[in-house]
């Protein structure tokens, strides 16, 4: 990922935040024809220090199911258009539009999982992770033969990250007045994306000034 030094994030708390906010990631591998294959899927995330592990599953019919070895997992964060009209020095510095965002690229090794115990564990933990926020009550039932049979329709995976690139592009290369102007501009817009990007910009500006 192209990441100028001003936008590089080194604290893995940023990755924790991204995956707590949106654990729906993009997994990219290389197919037998040499072309990239991508799947968008929910992931289970665990980190101990610098060790990062992600788990999930594909539909067995997915062409990517069972891929092993090197892989890229892309974590998506909030993003928004930034108008140069929000910058006080827009005319003096000939400012142009940009797009602010936060994202992570994780490179690592993918291990497919086929055993019933592993698959049941992943499905059960996905339910435990995603049911409570929507007020749901579903839980995987290992005693229900119908649910156990459905495990045959999926292939699980573990992804161990060996390189983590965090990019928080939030106008850090601009004077503080421009950042404040963009925060104010975003604050006038509807929608969660504008508010999230403005909050991230304010946080990075506070760190810089502090």
């Amino acid at each position: 990922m192209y990441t100028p030094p001003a936008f590089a994030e080194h604290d893995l708390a940023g990755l924790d935040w991204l995956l707590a906010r949106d654990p729906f990631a993009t997994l990219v591998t290389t197919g037998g024809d040499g072309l990239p294959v991508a799947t968008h899927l929910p992931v289970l995330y665990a980190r101990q220090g610098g060790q990062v592990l992600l788990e999930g599953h594909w539909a067995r019919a997915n062409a990517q199911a069972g891929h092993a070895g090197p892989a890229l997992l892309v974590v998506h964060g909030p993003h928004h258009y930034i108008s140069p009209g929000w910058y006080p020095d827009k005319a003096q510095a000939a400012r142009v539009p940009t797009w602010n965002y936060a994202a992570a690229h994780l490179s690592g090794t993918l291990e497919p999982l086929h055993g019933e115990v592993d698959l049941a564990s992943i499905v059960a933990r996905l339910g435990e992770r995603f049911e409570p926020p929507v007020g749901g009550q579903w839980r995987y039932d290992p005693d229900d033969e119908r649910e156990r049979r459905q495990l045959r329709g999926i292939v699980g995976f573990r992804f161990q990250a060996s390189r983590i690139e965090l990019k928080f592009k939030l106008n850090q290369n601009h004077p503080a007045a421009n950042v404040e102007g963009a925060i104010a501009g975003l604050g006038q817009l509807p929608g969660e994306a504008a508010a999230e990007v403005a909050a991230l910009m304010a946080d990075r500006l506070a760190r810089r000034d502090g």
Side-chain angles (χ1 to χ4, degrees), residues 10-11 37 43 53 65 85 152 172 177 190:
H10 302 290
D11 187 347
V37 181
V43 292
L53 176 70
R152 301 169 191 166
Q172 296 98 318

Side-chain angles (χ1 to χ4, degrees), residues 101-125:
Y101 62 93
H105 283 195
L106 281 63
S107 302
T109 303
L110 191 63
E111 174 193 1
L113 304 170
H114 298 277
E116 181 178 332
V117 172
D118 287 327
L119 297 177
S121 173
I122 289 171
V123 170
R125 286 181 288 129

Side-chain angles (χ1 to χ4, degrees), residues 71-161:
L72 170 69
L73 192 138
V74 181
V75 182
H76 308 278
H79 59 91
H80 208 282
Y81 174 80
I82 303 297
S83 170
W86 295 334
Y87 303 144
D89 68 355
K90 56 184 176 294
Q92 176 188 359
R95 297 297 185 183
V96 295
T98 192
W99 206 282
N100 280 1
Y101 62 93
H105 283 195
L106 281 63
S107 302
T109 303
L110 191 63
E111 174 193 1
L113 304 170
H114 298 277
E116 181 178 332
V117 172
D118 287 327
L119 297 177
S121 173
I122 289 171
V123 170
R125 286 181 288 129
L126 284 168
E128 292 166 3
R129 169 66 177 84
F130 295 110
E131 280 288 311
V134 300
Q137 302 296 320
W138 183 86
R139 296 290 184 271
Y140 174 73
D141 183 358
D143 296 323
D144 188 329
E145 181 59 31
R146 297 169 302 173
E147 293 190 15
R148 292 181 61 188
R149 282 200 303 270
Q150 291 187 62
L151 296 177
R152 301 169 191 166
I154 63 174
V155 175
F157 66 81
R158 289 194 186 102
F159 176 84
Q160 186 76 48

Side-chain angles (χ1 to χ4, degrees), residues 1-2 14 24 37 41 62 71 73 97 104 109-112 117 133 162 167:
M1 176 164 55
Y2 170 62
F24 193 72
V37 181
L41 36 69
N62 187 333
L73 192 138
T109 303
L110 191 63
E111 174 193 1
V117 172
S162 56
K167 183 175 182 179

Side-chain angles (χ1 to χ4, degrees), residues 42-59:
V43 292
L44 297 163
Y45 169 67
R47 179 172 73 86
Q48 290 192 347
Q51 301 299 309
V52 169
L53 176 70
L54 295 110
E55 298 171 284
H57 68 78
W58 303 277

Side-chain angles (χ1 to χ4, degrees), residues 17 78 101-102 168 170 195-205:
W17 180 82
Y101 62 93
F168 281 62
L170 302 165
E196 283 186 298
V197 171
L200 287 176
M201 292 174 67
D203 176 70
R204 269 48 183 194
L205 181 60

